[in-house]
Amino acid sequence: DCTDNLGAFILYDSARPDLAGKTLGRVDPPSIFPLLLDLIGLEAASYTKTPLPCMQGPVASPASFTGEGSPEAEAVVRSHLERIVDAVHAKVGQVEAIVLTGSFGRGEGGMYRDTAGALRPVNDYDLLVVDRRNLQADLSGLGETLARELGIDFVDLGWSDGQWANLPLTVFHYDLRHGSRVIAGDHSVLERLPAYASADMPPYEIVKLLLNRSAGILSGLRGANLLGEAPSGEAARYLANQLAKALMAVGDWHLLRWEGFDSSYRRRAERFAALATAI
């Protein structure tokens, strides 16, 4: 039965004694099942709708940026991202790549309508500018300017030199490798990152995530709210979003313990719902 996509094969290289016992990678059973059928001479298509991995070609980025995927929401996000890319190029010239990370990079970004009826992102845009030049100082302040222009909470613009071959496994590096997409420049830059296995995630990574999400809640408690006044309007929306992120981080802690973490919110929810019934 290959319907349980929570399991995983652990790959070992017996020809490399120096790697004995080291996890080299993990794949979901549904992904490898058609290949195993083909290797033993069976017609994979007769048993599963999943195509052979060797016939799929390069992994494609999600077609949409938002969870709802409506044309209107997609158009808003695309226009925002085009403006951000143009602003980066205007500020520092052409760069090696611009990578969209976070929920919109995974194709799971949330949108809401403000009081005027306009669609706006629930979360901020997280982007990483990749270039051999150190652009950290040049990009400083650009994200804040763009956030005000676009009418959103944050545009988080980071910088990296793209030297990623030996980066350690962290939640950020895992999401960068498995849950991001290039929106400008060299589309192969993410392949420089190791093919991390989430089951190897160090425990302190989830502690950092929980502390980060706790700080997010504190950032939503402002002014009179600290004196007991209930937030309203945009302040209430922002605080509710931070609370939701914190609650998801608690679920992520369990998933990391169960070796079931994933970059996708959707997959994490599915796995948590299945695995939580066992406790």
Side-chain angles (χ1 to χ4, degrees):
D1 180 10
C2 200
T3 60
D4 180 10
N5 62 3
L6 301 175
F9 290 93
I10 304 177
L11 308 177
Y12 298 97
D13 189 343
S14 59
R16 292 282 304 278
D18 58 312
L19 296 178
K22 180 178 179 181
T23 302
L24 301 181
R26 290 171 180 264
V27 293
D28 287 335
S31 299
I32 202 171
F33 183 51
L35 178 59
L36 294 177
L37 290 172
D38 186 68
L39 290 174
I40 62 175
L42 296 177
E43 182 63 39
S46 300
Y47 298 86
T48 175
K49 295 181 180 179
T50 303
L52 282 167
C54 58
M55 298 173 63
Q56 291 179 337
V59 177
S61 296
S64 61
F65 293 103
T66 66
E68 60 182 274
S70 74
E72 184 184 4
E74 292 298 312
V76 170
V77 175
R78 288 184 185 279
S79 67
H80 286 175
L81 295 177
E82 288 170 3
R83 174 66 189 111
I84 293 170
V85 169
D86 289 343
V88 169
H89 288 160
K91 183 76 172 180
V92 299
Q94 292 296 314
V95 295
E96 188 172 1
I98 300 177
V99 181
L100 178 64
T101 67
S103 58
F104 288 98
R106 294 189 298 270
E108 298 176 335
M111 303 290 287
Y112 76 102
R113 291 192 184 276
D114 61 19
T115 54
L119 275 174
R120 294 171 58 186
V122 171
N123 298 315
D124 52 329
Y125 293 122
D126 299 293
L127 301 106
L128 192 63
V129 179
V130 182
D131 201 83
R132 296 298 177 91
R133 297 169 293 161
N134 188 333
L135 302 176
Q136 195 163 359
D138 298 291
L139 294 172
S140 178
L142 182 58
E144 290 85 347
T145 300
L146 286 166
R148 288 193 297 270
E149 177 185 330
L150 299 175
I152 61 179
D153 294 326
F154 301 104
V155 173
D156 188 359
L157 273 178
W159 165 81
S160 173
D161 62 6
Q163 304 302 299
W164 297 334
N166 298 311
L167 287 181
L169 174 57
T170 65
V171 169
F172 176 77
H173 293 155
Y174 180 84
D175 285 344
L176 181 62
R177 178 64 173 84
H178 298 292
S180 303
R181 73 177 92 179
V182 176
I183 59 172
D186 182 1
H187 283 259
S188 68
V189 294
L190 297 178
E191 297 173 11
R192 300 174 188 170
L193 288 151
Y196 302 113
S198 66
D200 296 331
M201 191 78 69
Y204 62 79
E205 277 299 303
I206 196 59
V207 175
K208 287 165 54 180
L209 181 61
L210 287 167
L211 291 173
N212 177 277
R213 297 313 191 200
S214 298
I217 294 175
L218 293 176
S219 72
L221 296 173
R222 308 165 183 170
N225 305 144
L226 296 175
L227 301 176
E229 182 179 324
S232 60
E234 286 297 307
R237 180 198 62 79
Y238 179 85
L239 181 58
N241 190 36
Q242 298 307 313
L243 286 168
K245 287 183 176 182
L247 291 172
M248 284 190 288
V250 174
D252 291 341
W253 175 77
H254 287 289
L255 286 176
L256 282 173
R257 286 198 306 130
W258 300 329
E259 300 186 352
F261 185 77
D262 193 271
S263 60
S264 166
Y265 282 159
R266 188 177 297 108
R267 292 196 193 98
R268 272 142 66 183
E270 291 171 354
R271 293 180 181 186
F272 186 83
L275 290 168
T277 59
I279 61 174

